[in-house]
Amino acid sequence: GQQVMQIPQYQHVQEGEDFTTYCNSSTTLSNIQWYKQRPGGHPVFLIQLVKSGEVKKQKRLTFQFGEAKKNSSLHITATQTTDVGTYFCAGPISGYSTLTFGKGTMLLVSP
Amino acid sequence: DTGVSQDPRHKITKRGQNVTFRCDPISEHNRLYWYRQTLGQGPEFLTYFQNEAQLEKSRLLSDRFSAERPKGSFSTLEIQRTEQGDSAMYLCASSTGGGYTEAFFGQGTRLTVV
């Protein structure tokens, strides 16, 4: 089974509210990637984190990689309806070149 | 369109039939992956190619599943004697070689076994 856990499974926010999803791995990761999948769409790469404690920002999105490289988070400030979708974290657990995905966090934003 | 393309987009088949899906990766990508995704789950790794060599295969993958990438370009995924449990979205992704690189996903093939 999958060894990357994400919480929460689902979150419904009002537009303008903040959102955070958390990702935990059973093993230390060399890197972690985040993907977004819109309803009916396919996963689209957002970002990759490699260094312990790394923090990266993309406009309203802030990504963090834990010091122990076993957890990560994605924070969205002031959500917009365009943020709707499922956010997945993924890491190379079973193989150097393959990604194990979490179950994702589905975000719904009401206007 | 220079993205990853998959064919067909949808497939409905009767239980026990064989099906084959095709994936055309981004042309300069030497790595190709197959994933399966069911409702409410993240993509589940099936198999991985570097050029024409199949380097990894999920332990969960049934013997009814086989994949090829004969010339290191497009790939096919065949499922023999389909079962209802095979109903899922089958995603193909490709990436460049070396280091940790992002995966570019295709639109997927949705398989329904009736």
Side-chain angles (χ1 to χ4, degrees):
Chain A
Q2 294 179 322
Q3 298 162 281
V4 177
M5 285 76 67
Q6 281 187 257
I7 55 170
Q9 289 187 6
Y10 172 83
Q11 188 151 9
H12 184 182
V13 300
Q14 294 293 314
E15 191 171 25
E17 292 181 339
D18 292 355
F19 160 77
T20 304
T21 174
Y22 299 92
C23 177
N24 289 286
S25 167
S26 55
T27 60
T28 301
L29 299 171
S30 56
N31 72 94
I32 194 159
Q33 298 182 12
W34 285 90
Y35 291 77
K36 177 183 179 181
Q37 186 172 24
R38 294 182 185 275
H42 58 279
V44 174
F45 175 82
L46 293 176
I47 208 160
Q48 177 175 264
L49 304 170
V50 178
K51 298 177 182 176
S52 169
E54 188 170 15
V55 178
K56 286 189 176 180
K57 293 189 176 184
Q58 289 179 349
K59 297 182 180 178
R60 295 177 295 103
L61 278 62
T62 301
F63 303 84
Q64 291 188 319
F65 200 10
E67 293 290 341
K69 302 183 76 173
K70 295 180 76 172
N71 58 76
S72 181
S73 65
L74 159 59
H75 179 80
I76 303 178
T77 303
T79 54
Q80 300 175 358
T81 55
T82 54
D83 296 324
V84 165
T86 301
Y87 293 84
F88 294 99
C89 62
I93 289 181
S94 60
Y96 174 78
S97 298
T98 61
L99 294 173
T100 297
F101 283 77
K103 290 187 176 183
T105 296
M106 182 185 295
L107 173 64
L108 181 62
V109 181
S110 295
Chain B
D1 189 342
T2 57
V4 178
S5 63
Q6 293 188 243
D7 184 70
R9 294 289 305 277
H10 303 274
K11 177 71 177 179
I12 300 175
T13 190
K14 291 184 179 179
R15 191 171 49 188
Q17 297 294 307
N18 299 343
V19 294
T20 299
F21 310 140
R22 177 179 170 123
C23 171
D24 286 88
I26 294 171
S27 59
E28 62 268 26
H29 286 183
N30 59 6
R31 293 181 178 180
L32 186 147
Y33 312 83
W34 284 99
Y35 285 86
R36 175 172 60 192
Q37 186 176 29
T38 53
L39 195 62
Q41 302 292 315
E44 176 190 18
F45 169 73
L46 295 179
T47 190
Y48 152 62
F49 290 85
Q50 178 144 334
N51 299 313
E52 65 275 10
Q54 188 174 18
L55 297 186
E56 283 188 59
K57 193 174 177 181
S58 170
R59 289 172 295 171
L60 303 175
L61 201 61
S62 161
D63 290 343
R64 297 182 294 105
F65 287 69
S66 63
E68 294 183 339
R69 195 183 182 197
K71 297 183 180 179
S73 55
F74 73 92
S75 175
T76 58
L77 176 69
E78 181 184 17
I79 309 174
Q80 296 182 328
R81 304 181 302 282
T82 52
E83 302 172 356
Q84 286 190 323
D86 297 331
S87 295
M89 176 73 82
Y90 289 84
L91 293 164
C92 175
S94 69
S95 69
T96 58
Y100 316 125
T101 56
E102 66 182 277
F104 292 82
F105 282 83
Q107 302 274 20
T109 294
R110 181 166 296 284
L111 172 67
T112 302
V113 181
V114 297

